[in-house]
Amino acid sequence: QVQLVESGGGLVQAGGSLRLSCAASGRTFSSHAMGWFRPAPGKEREFVAAISVSGGSTTYADSVKGRFTISRDNAKNTVYLQMNSLKPEDTAVYYCAAKWGPIARYGYDFWGQGTQVTVSS
C-alpha cells in the first residue's frame, strides 16, 4: 500500500509557474513508477506526465510537453511536477498516482487526493 499526498497547488497568472509535490508513504516508493493526472472533458482523469522507477525515463501528454517537467527524489519519497508557461486550460485538480512496474500512461494502483491549480487569464 502506498499513500500519496499532493501539495503546491494554487492560483497563478497565465505564463506563470508552479511546482507540485507528491509525498509518498511506505518503503516501496522506489519500486513504483509515478504519474500525474488531471480531469478532462469526457474523461475521469487525463494523463499528464509519468516517470520511471529510477527517474531515467519520462513521458508527457502532448498538451504539456515542453512546459511541464516531472522528476523524483527516491531518498525523499517525493515526485515533483514543475509547471511553466501555464495556460488557463491547465486549470484543474492535479492527482499524483503510483503503479508497480514500468512507466506507463495507465494502470495506476494508488492515488492521492489532488491539489487544485487555477490559472487566471
Side-chain angles (χ1 to χ4, degrees):
Q1 187 78 8
V2 177
Q3 293 183 324
L4 304 171
V5 179
E6 302 95 335
S7 62
L11 174 64
V12 64
Q13 288 188 330
S17 298
L18 281 175
R19 188 175 83 154
L20 306 184
S21 298
C22 174
S25 65
R27 292 181 288 180
T28 60
F29 175 77
S30 58
S31 299
H32 289 78
M34 301 295 296
W36 287 95
F37 294 78
R38 65 189 183 189
K43 302 178 183 179
E44 181 178 359
R45 285 169 186 167
E46 168 188 64
F47 169 78
V48 174
I51 189 165
S52 63
V53 168
S54 68
S57 180
T58 58
T59 185
Y60 298 91
D62 288 344
S63 58
V64 307
K65 196 175 296 183
R67 300 188 297 122
F68 290 11
T69 302
I70 188 171
S71 62
R72 67 189 294 162
D73 185 336
N74 285 345
K76 294 182 178 180
N77 279 15
T78 302
V79 63
Y80 305 97
L81 186 67
Q82 177 67 45
M83 305 187 295
N84 298 329
S85 302
L86 281 160
K87 305 175 181 180
E89 52 263 44
D90 294 318
T91 294
V93 176
Y94 283 74
Y95 296 91
C96 173
K99 67 179 293 292
W100 291 101
I103 186 174
R105 297 186 175 209
Y106 53 87
Y108 282 74
D109 305 298
F110 307 105
W111 295 85
Q113 293 301 306
T115 185
Q116 176 70 46
V117 171
T118 303
V119 184
S120 63
S121 58

